[in-house]
Amino acid sequence: MKYQPKGICATAIDVELDGDIIKSVKFTGGCDGNHKGICALVEGMPAAEAVRRLRGIRCGMRSTSCPDQLAVILEKLINQ
């Protein structure tokens, strides 16, 4: 699923689940190194656990962040 995040530098987040396990994540735009790190950490993790860990993380003065936006899409996928 391709998701257009709000309030961050990345312009898209692609997420693929295998059941409830995160199979792959790819960010487009933004901080490449940080995104690669986030992806490497969450791939293979249950989506609900990633949401628990990432939801509410802020970037500076912003009310959201790349990890938080990933949690938003994962929540949507879980609730489908």
Side-chain angles (χ1 to χ4, degrees):
M1 172 176 200
K2 184 171 233 159
Y3 172 73
Q4 188 169 3
K6 296 180 175 124
I8 62 172
C9 299
T11 57
I13 304 172
D14 293 285
V15 177
E16 184 178 357
L17 296 181
D18 183 8
D20 67 336
I21 303 298
I22 300 169
K23 185 172 180 181
S24 68
V25 177
K26 181 179 184 277
F27 286 82
T28 302
C31 305
D32 187 53
N34 287 332
H35 294 155
K36 286 178 182 174
I38 293 167
C39 296
L41 290 170
V42 300
E43 287 173 2
M45 180 184 290
E49 177 65 13
V51 170
R52 185 186 72 75
R53 293 179 184 209
L54 302 175
R55 195 69 161 114
I57 293 174
R58 297 171 54 129
C59 183
M61 297 300 292
R62 296 177 186 190
S63 62
T64 190
S65 66
C66 293
D68 183 61
Q69 288 295 295
L70 176 56
V72 168
I73 189 172
L74 290 171
E75 284 178 328
K76 287 182 180 186
L77 291 171
I78 290 168
N79 293 322
Q80 282 185 342

